[in-house]
Structure formats: structure tokens, C-alpha cells
Amino acid sequence: MSIWWSLHLRREAASVPLARRFLLGTMETAGVDPDISFDLSVALSEACANAVEHGGNRSGLGEYGDCGAERSPADSGQYRVTAYLDGEKCRIEVADSGPGFPARRALRPAAHTEHAEHIERAQHPEPVGAQPAFAAYIPCVAESGRGLDLIEQLADHVQFGNRPGRGAVVSFDKVLKWREGALLMV
């Protein structure tokens, strides 16, 4: 037996926990080990959060988050989550209608270099009374930029890709472990 489902969700923050609960419910019903289910649900949440945040053409918006401005026709305001549980593996795909990922090499080194610099400065603070040059950068490091790395850590295999003119796709899979008496157990 296998399970396959696909959700078309609005690019709204409320869609992230909805997708996560749907996946967790499916895995619970199928009998997947709770630790594996948790890892995949966190990875899915990160991929969905990226689709909500970056998954559309925001060029038609005024200020960031300005809901009063119209979206461009290319921005459907939706993204798609597809999950396959089949035998020993679960594969999840999140596809959006955004601008896609920048070149992978350009994305990673800058993030790691800035993060390493932030850690170094945090470990060796400026003298009392001095204004550190990186103070405005701290919230960016603390709140964003780690989702793709987290997905890579939680899944066994990850692919980040672009669909020319149609958005980005994050696909990841993980070998499943089953509880005793699981419905889909190999």
C-alpha cells in the first residue's frame, strides 16, 4: 500500500501548520516512527515557510506585506505540497510560483561567511560603550536564512531547483522507520 496526496495552499502563514498537521496525521495513520515523522514535518514546515515568504512575484506589491496592492498575474498566490509514502521512503515536494533560487554557489558562501563573522564577533565583543558595526545584522541571522540548511540536515536527500518562468521546487526524502504493526510496513 502507498499513500499520495497533494495540497494547493494559499501563500499565507496559516497554511504552514495546516500542511504540517496533514503530513503528521498521514504518518501517524500509516504507522511511521514518530522521530522520523517529526523530522519530516519540521523540514516540510521550513519548505512551506519559504514558499509563503518567497514563493511569488512581490514586484507588484508596494511595501513588504502590503496587501492592498495588486499582485502581478504571474503570482498565483498559491503553492503546492505533494507527499508520497511508499514502502521504505517518504518523498515531499514543495513548489511555488516565485522567482526561484539564486545560483546555489552564490547563496551559500555569503550566508556562511556572514554567520561565521557574527559568531566570531559575538565571542569577542567590542569594548563597553562601543557600538558594534554588526548590531543591525543580528536579527537577520537570528530569524532567517537557516531553513534550507535545516531541511538538508533533517532529510536524507534534498534537491533545490527552478522551473524556468514558473518558480522554485524543494524536494526531499527520507527513509522511513515503522512502528510495530504499521499499515504500510514493507
Side-chain angles (χ1 to χ4, degrees), residues 19-174:
R20 182 179 177 142
R21 287 184 195 130
F22 203 88
L23 178 67
L24 285 169
T26 301
M27 296 186 133
E28 170 70 24
T29 300
V32 174
D33 177 81
D35 291 336
I36 300 294
S37 297
F38 179 78
D39 287 353
L40 284 169
S41 71
V42 172
L44 174 63
S45 295
E46 292 297 330
C48 289
N50 281 341
V52 168
E53 181 68 24
H54 307 289
N57 182 354
R58 291 191 179 270
S59 63
L61 295 176
E63 292 297 314
Y64 174 76
D66 179 8
C67 296
E70 288 191 34
R71 288 191 175 111
S72 96
D75 181 4
S76 69
Q78 296 182 0
Y79 66 102
R80 186 188 74 235
V81 176
T82 306
Y84 308 89
L85 279 79
D86 191 18
E88 62 188 39
K89 183 169 71 171
C90 176
R91 180 161 185 83
I92 298 171
E93 179 179 289
V94 177
D96 64 44
S97 60
F101 291 104
R104 189 95 167 115
R105 289 187 185 110
L107 177 66
R108 292 295 180 206
H112 287 294
T113 301
E114 290 171 349
H115 185 64
E117 182 180 323
H118 164 69
I119 290 170
E120 176 64 25
R121 288 184 182 178
Q123 291 172 345
H124 300 92
E126 301 283 334
V128 175
Q131 288 293 326
F134 67 95
Y137 178 71
I138 293 172
C140 293
V141 171
E143 297 295 328
S144 66
R146 296 179 285 189
L148 299 179
D149 286 332
L150 187 56
I151 294 168
E152 289 177 321
Q153 294 296 315
L154 294 170
D156 294 331
H157 182 258
V158 180
Q159 290 181 311
F160 303 102
N162 292 323
R163 301 175 303 158
R166 296 186 357 203
V169 179
V170 176
S171 299
F172 54 96
D173 55 58
K174 189 165 184 81

